Amino acid sequence: MATGPTSFHLWQLSHIDTARIYSALDVGCGAGDLTHALRTLMPSSALITALDVQRSSAVATYKRLAVDVMLARMESLPVASAQYELVTAGHVLPSATNIKTAIIEMYRVLAEGGLLMASADSKTSGRR
C-alpha cells in the first residue's frame, strides 16, 4: 500500500521554493519517499527523475510514482550537464565509493543557479 510523503521529507523541502522548480533529480531514491515529497510539492508538469544503484529501488519508485527512473551510481550520473534545477541526495552520501566525486557529479548536472540538497546519515536516519 503506497503511503504519502513523510513529514521529514516535507520539512526538508519546506526550505526550498519547490513551486518554482520544474526539474529535479533524486539521487539514491531508495523507496521513493523523498521523490514522493517532490511530486507532491512541485508543479504537476515538473520533470522528476529518481536514481538509485539498486534495481529493486528504482523499479519500486517507478511503480509507486510513475516518475522517470535511472539505474546508476551517484559517482557517474548518466545525465548531461546543467539539466536539473534541484538535485536531492537524502542520506546517501556515506554510501558513495567516493563522496567528493559524487558531489562533483551532482553539481555538474545542476543548472545555473540550481540547488543541491544533500543530507548524511545520523543515528535516527530512516526512523523519522
Side-chain angles (χ1 to χ4, degrees), residues 14 36 42 60 70 124:
S14 73
H36 196 169
M42 290 175 62
M70 288 189 271
T124 58

Side-chain angles (χ1 to χ4, degrees), residues 50-118:
L51 178 141
D52 206 284
V53 69
Q54 299 292 327
R55 178 176 298 284
S56 59
S57 294
V59 169
T61 298
Y62 174 77
K63 286 180 179 179
R64 178 179 176 193
L65 302 167
V67 296
D68 292 337
V69 296
M70 288 189 271
L71 188 62
R73 299 194 61 79
M74 67 184 103
E75 299 89 353
S76 182
L77 300 173
V79 176
S81 298
Q83 293 299 302
Y84 294 96
E85 296 173 278
L86 174 64
V87 174
T88 61
H91 304 293
V92 297
L93 287 176
S95 65
T97 55
N98 185 312
I99 292 174
K100 181 178 179 180
T101 300
I103 292 171
I104 290 169
E105 271 294 276
M106 289 181 228
Y107 180 76
R108 178 186 66 78
V109 302
L110 277 175
E112 184 175 337
L115 300 169
L116 169 61
M117 184 186 82

